[in-house]
Amino acid sequence: MIKTPYYLIDKSKLLRNMEKIAYVREHSGAKALLALKCFATWSVFDLMSQYMDGTTSSSLNEVKLGKLKFGGETHAYSVAYADDEIEEVLAHSDKIIFNSIGQLERFEAASANQVRGLRLNPGVSSSEFLIADPSRPFSRLGEWDAAKVERVLDRISGFMIHNNCENSDFALFDQMLSQIEEKFGTLLAQPQISWVSLGGGIHFTGDGYPLDRFCARLKAFAERYGVQLYLEPGEAAITLSTSLEVTVLDTLYNGKQLAIVDSSIEAHMLDLLIYRQNAKMEPCDGPHEYMVCGKSCLAGDIFGEFRFDHELKVGDRLSFIDAAGYTMVKKNWFNGVNMPAIAVRQLDGSVELVREFGFDDFVNSLS
């Protein structure tokens, strides 16, 4: 048995998402780029690259990872590029997307031979959380003034518009896309604009999502403006493909039954802490309820409350499902808690341990 904690990526579950992405590509004409900010575990890129067109990034390191480990198209985006990294960004990307007109003008000469785009901010989004809302008041993410953008159209050939966040509602997606067309339609229709990325955050691989209506809407948009559409699935690419496997280290009662495990939300599932959400387990309505807690010293290091068919005891193994997105890319060494290993269940059912982390990794992350 692999020593816990570890992330277990199941390729057969990953394949279900890949097949839905392939369906959307075929029936809509849109291309799909993996959003590395959400998931960048390159040990499964061999499978993913068969079903996706490339990667999109948020930093120099992600650009290089996408180019070297995934292949296909490599889109570079950053909220702001620095002078000392722009040359490497350009060398490892097929398209570069600037967040602002100021950045476009600053690196106009350096990027003269590159396919260039600009991020637009339509002022609407699906985010329920202010911290993640790209259209929040005073947002720094993209240009919102169409008249200003019109003056630099001769320097770009496409746009990126990312305003969907955990959006599983097709009607809301459709509504916001219509608002984008209303606000930026004149820009989109310009003959020099040949591609548009609609970003990520669209949960079209979820159960019950109307894929055919989604494909038809994308195709109609692309045909109306004569553009190649791109999608940037992150969560949609890896949803329900991965678990975080942990072991119970202690149990106690303090008004509630508590179980402490050898993992930590702050170190291993940081988004749970940021968004104050619970981890997920397979549903169980057993009679034994426990608050499952992490082993760090943070008082709020709590995975959530769950029901079990049996009383938990030291040594029991637990499995948190849907644990791929924004976990491995955010894991950290808080408290020096052991970093989860990474394992992959191959399509033939065999499990391969692909990466372990030890004391040397902890030391080398510091100085």
Side-chain angles (χ1 to χ4, degrees):
M1 294 180 68
I2 300 173
K3 186 179 185 301
T4 60
Y6 65 95
Y7 302 102
L8 177 61
I9 307 170
D10 190 327
K11 277 191 174 180
S12 65
K13 295 178 179 178
L14 185 61
L15 181 59
R16 298 173 199 168
N17 298 324
M18 294 297 102
E19 289 173 339
K20 289 185 178 180
I21 289 173
Y23 184 92
V24 170
R25 289 170 68 204
E26 179 182 355
H27 291 86
S28 71
K31 294 185 177 183
L33 306 174
L34 175 63
L36 295 174
K37 66 180 180 180
C38 174
F39 182 80
T41 305
W42 50 267
S43 56
V44 291
F45 284 0
D46 60 332
L47 174 65
M48 302 180 81
S49 61
Q50 298 176 47
Y51 295 87
M52 304 183 74
D53 297 282
T55 57
T56 183
S57 59
S58 301
S59 66
L60 170 59
N61 284 336
E62 287 185 353
V63 171
K64 293 171 70 174
L65 180 70
K67 184 73 170 181
L68 299 174
K69 295 293 189 180
F70 199 99
E73 293 191 41
T74 307
H75 288 205
Y77 166 77
S78 176
V79 173
Y81 297 107
D83 289 339
D84 62 355
E85 64 183 8
I86 192 67
E87 184 177 343
E88 263 196 293
V89 169
L90 293 168
H92 288 86
S93 60
D94 304 296
K95 290 183 176 67
I96 184 166
I97 300 164
F98 292 104
N99 183 67
S100 69
I101 292 173
Q103 282 264 300
L104 170 63
E105 292 176 336
R106 180 176 176 181
F107 298 113
E108 181 177 353
S111 63
N113 296 321
Q114 196 90 338
V115 177
R116 297 184 294 209
L118 186 66
R119 180 169 182 170
L120 300 179
N121 190 328
V124 293
S125 86
S126 63
S127 178
E128 297 179 4
F129 303 98
L130 183 63
I131 191 174
D133 186 354
S135 297
R136 61 188 285 163
F138 316 112
S139 174
R140 73 199 192 285
L141 302 175
E143 294 284 356
W144 58 271
D145 188 335
K148 287 176 61 179
V149 174
E150 192 169 1
R151 293 196 288 270
V152 298
L153 283 177
D154 60 329
R155 299 172 230 179
I156 60 175
S157 63
F159 296 113
M160 189 266 275
I161 308 166
H162 173 47
N163 66 324
N164 286 280
C165 302
E166 299 188 7
N167 185 5
S168 59
D169 183 346
F170 170 74
L172 178 57
F173 167 79
D174 181 32
Q175 173 190 322
M176 292 197 302
L177 189 55
S178 295
Q179 291 173 294
I180 288 170
E181 292 181 277
E182 182 178 347
K183 181 165 186 173
F184 295 125
T186 301
L187 298 177
L188 299 171
Q190 296 300 311
Q192 61 268 51
I193 300 303
S194 60
W195 58 274
V196 173
S197 172
L198 296 179
I202 311 165
H203 281 201
F204 61 88
T205 57
D207 290 341
Y209 196 88
L211 280 183
D212 289 326
R213 293 171 63 196
F214 181 57
C215 291
R217 183 67 173 95
L218 295 176
K219 189 173 183 179
F221 181 96
E223 290 177 349
R224 178 178 181 182
Y225 298 105
V227 295
Q228 172 63 60
L229 268 187
Y230 288 90
L231 301 174
E232 300 179 3
E235 285 276 7
I238 46 78
T239 186
L240 294 173
S241 68
T242 301
S243 60
L244 174 61
E245 305 294 316
V246 302
T247 297
V248 175
L249 300 179
D250 194 13
T251 62
L252 60 153
Y253 181 79
N254 192 9
K256 288 184 177 182
Q257 295 289 350
L258 309 180
I260 300 171
V261 299
D262 57 354
S263 181
S264 161
I265 62 168
E266 181 161 27
H268 306 152
M269 299 188 81
L270 185 58
D271 262 17
L272 297 182
L273 186 64
I274 293 172
Y275 295 105
R276 300 187 178 183
Q277 295 178 318
N278 291 330
K280 301 175 185 175
M281 283 189 183
E282 296 288 357
C284 178
D285 58 1
H288 304 284
E289 184 172 357
Y290 286 81
M291 178 183 289
V292 179
C293 309
K295 67 172 295 183
S296 81
C297 66
L298 180 71
D301 192 352
I302 299 168
F303 286 90
E305 298 186 27
F306 307 93
R307 304 191 73 87
F308 300 90
D309 292 328
H310 59 281
E311 292 185 6
L312 296 184
K313 62 183 185 302
V314 172
D316 282 350
R317 290 203 169 197
L318 308 180
S319 179
F320 297 108
I321 64 171
D322 203 12
Y326 297 100
T327 54
M328 284 173 266
V329 295
K330 289 190 174 186
K331 64 186 186 299
N332 60 74
W333 285 103
F334 178 66
N335 266 198
V337 175
N338 286 340
M339 189 75 73
I342 299 173
V344 175
R345 179 174 284 122
Q346 303 293 347
L347 293 176
D348 64 5
S350 63
V351 175
E352 177 187 358
L353 179 62
V354 297
R355 183 75 161 91
E356 287 184 284
F357 303 90
F359 176 69
D360 288 343
D361 297 296
F362 171 59
V363 172
N364 291 333
S365 72
L366 303 167
S367 61

